[in-house]
Amino acid sequence: MRVQIFRTLQILLIGTAACFNTWAQDRSSVISSEKQAFRLVTLLNGLENPWSLAFLPDGQMLVTERAGRLRLVSQDFKLNPKPIDGLPEVVAQGQGGLFDVVLHPQYAQNGWIYWAYNAPGQGGWGTAMARGKLQGHRMTDVQVLFSMQPKTRSSHHFGGRIVFDQAGFLYLTLGDRGDKDRAQKLNDHAGSVIRLHDDGRVPEDNPFVKREGALAEKWTLGNRNMQGAAVHPQTGQLWTHEHGPQGGDEVNVMRSGLNYGWPVITYGVNYGLGTKIGVGQAKVGLEQPLHAWVPSIAPSGMAFVSGSHFPQWQGNLLVGALRGQMLVRLTLDGEKVLGEERLLQGRSRLRDVRMGPDGFVYLLTDEAQGALLRLEPVKP
Ligand SMILES: [Ca+2]
């Protein structure tokens, strides 16, 4: 009997020690911040420069890799070793490759998946957008909806984010392709947001539809390189951020027909030289950003915090940073940026930030061995 009690005690003690160990490990990974403690969980490793992710209704995920592969991730975060077949040719060159992947808002009914990529064409290559339907492990019914003009051989500034607004219009961000004066030209797609119907048709109320010599897809101009875009969940407005030159990364609210200034106005300067670009920081008729980062953080990916898991961050804007290696949390009052908190500083280059349908925050790291990470709240 005494032996039995001793053994029971021993088992209890070992069990308690094991529990304590698990607890201690979990506690050690808790990250405290101004308003919300959280845990950073690595869900998957071994993605090559992942660029974007989309959540399928059955719990699987689509992840793009810049090199041109669309990957499927299972419900338990296992990477399917075989990329999805059937995508049109992707030119993986410098910053170019496969970019965003987004589901149609009525995906459950129509099955359309949209993606942005660097497409070959006359004169070089440029950002394009296609859609298709996933059948098994193959993309079928593929339609190229847009392909920027003119194409050049530059490896820089592709933009590449796709967003649907609440009315069902489709937006694609385009960079200046490393040739800044293109951003002010209405007969050039570079340096703008374009706006389309979900099947690629140009909406009749696009701002430059009736302007002679202008490209009808253009919705804004004067943008440098937008790698983050999201619709504000309350106002329905399209928000973007963009890379500045040396300094001067911006957050903007995109509105029909407006000119966001690049390269006439900027808060940045010429790389290396530190010399002035354009006329300065402001000019009548050109939009001012809501927020500017000097020095640059190199923003990529953005998401408004929604759902019930992060009550202290509700409505905040999360922005990833490449060179800045952090997750920025902006607090807002309407279109005014009230404050900024820098999270996960020095952790890794962040390429994408998403709210999952489960209410957690998902991140992709921009590395040759990139990771899918998840922020999970920890109750105080
Ligand atoms: Ca600007």
Side-chain angles (χ1 to χ4, degrees):
M1 183 66 180
R2 208 174 275 173
V3 171
Q4 186 64 46
I5 290 170
F6 177 73
R7 282 206 178 136
T8 308
L9 268 174
Q10 206 174 17
I11 289 163
L12 273 173
L13 278 170
I14 290 166
T16 309
C19 281
F20 183 76
N21 260 341
T22 313
W23 178 78
Q25 279 165 14
D26 283 352
R27 288 287 293 179
S28 69
S29 64
V30 170
I31 297 166
S32 59
S33 71
E34 282 173 17
K35 287 193 164 175
Q36 174 80 57
F38 62 91
R39 212 168 260 129
L40 184 67
V41 179
T42 301
L43 301 173
L44 175 63
N45 276 305
L47 293 159
E48 186 185 343
N49 300 107
W51 218 92
S52 170
L53 75 158
F55 303 89
L56 293 166
D58 65 1
Q60 296 188 94
M61 287 181 198
L62 294 167
V63 177
T64 59
E65 292 174 304
R66 195 178 62 214
R69 293 180 294 267
L70 180 60
R71 311 295 297 267
L72 199 59
V73 176
S74 68
Q75 288 92 341
D76 58 347
F77 308 113
K78 299 279 189 305
L79 182 65
N80 190 310
K82 196 170 163 288
I84 290 166
D85 295 320
L87 271 68
E89 184 186 348
V90 174
V91 181
Q93 172 81 27
Q95 298 168 0
L98 185 55
F99 307 123
D100 219 349
V101 60
V102 167
L103 305 188
H104 190 286
Q106 280 90 46
Y107 176 80
Q109 287 80 50
N110 61 33
W112 286 118
I113 296 167
Y114 293 71
W115 63 95
Y117 63 108
N118 184 24
Q122 196 183 357
W125 46 78
T127 313
M129 178 166 58
R131 69 174 179 176
K133 296 182 179 186
L134 191 60
Q135 300 284 347
H137 210 66
R138 184 170 190 82
M139 202 60 86
T140 63
D141 303 305
V142 174
Q143 302 171 348
V144 177
L145 302 181
F146 173 81
S147 197
M148 77 176 293
Q149 296 297 336
K151 292 183 169 62
T152 63
R153 302 184 65 79
S154 162
S155 304
H156 293 95
H157 303 180
F158 294 85
R161 289 288 172 197
I162 300 170
V163 177
F164 277 95
D165 72 9
Q166 292 161 350
F169 290 106
L170 175 61
Y171 301 83
L172 172 67
T173 69
L174 298 172
D176 70 3
R177 303 293 290 104
D179 183 352
K180 59 184 189 296
D181 296 329
R182 292 181 65 181
Q184 288 294 325
K185 291 179 179 167
L186 285 174
N187 63 351
D188 190 322
H189 286 126
S192 67
V193 172
I194 61 143
R195 177 177 181 256
L196 301 172
H197 287 295
D198 64 353
D199 59 0
R201 284 176 302 120
V202 176
E204 282 178 17
D205 61 348
N206 265 12
F208 306 115
V209 163
K210 296 195 174 83
R211 184 88 60 97
E212 204 181 330
L215 291 168
E217 297 88 355
K218 279 176 86 89
W219 199 59
T220 67
L221 68 157
N223 299 111
R224 184 170 180 273
N225 190 23
M226 296 164 285
Q227 294 190 329
V231 164
H232 190 289
Q234 268 79 49
T235 67
Q237 298 276 5
L238 176 67
W239 290 47
T240 62
H241 60 56
E242 64 182 64
H243 297 278
Q246 191 173 316
D249 302 342
E250 299 179 354
V251 177
N252 290 293
V253 178
M254 298 282 108
R255 290 192 170 88
S256 178
L258 295 187
N259 186 335
Y260 289 83
W262 176 253
V264 182
I265 58 168
T266 173
Y267 287 81
V269 292
N270 277 307
Y271 280 108
L273 307 167
T275 50
K276 194 168 120 176
I277 299 169
V279 302
Q281 296 179 343
K283 190 181 174 191
V284 174
L286 303 180
E287 297 306 302
Q288 279 293 306
L290 306 192
H291 191 65
W293 284 280
V294 181
S296 292
I297 62 166
S300 189
M302 70 149 70
F304 289 95
V305 179
S306 58
S308 58
H309 280 326
F310 295 92
Q312 305 299 317
W313 291 357
Q314 205 58 214
N316 292 175
L317 183 63
L318 299 178
V319 174
L322 295 164
R323 203 181 58 126
Q325 298 200 11
M326 60 182 139
L327 179 66
V328 176
R329 181 177 68 86
L330 296 177
T331 50
L332 309 169
D333 177 12
E335 295 184 353
K336 206 166 157 200
V337 175
L338 299 179
E340 171 179 327
E341 184 183 17
R342 297 181 165 202
L343 304 162
L344 306 175
Q345 284 200 72
R347 168 65 175 71
S348 30
R349 290 166 57 86
L350 296 183
R351 172 59 77 189
D352 204 7
V353 183
R354 301 273 169 180
M355 286 307 298
D358 54 9
F360 295 117
V361 175
Y362 288 79
L363 307 174
L364 289 173
T365 70
D366 175 46
E367 292 157 333
Q369 288 288 312
L372 171 63
L373 309 174
R374 182 161 79 184
L375 271 63
E376 299 174 0
V378 173
K379 298 225 161 66

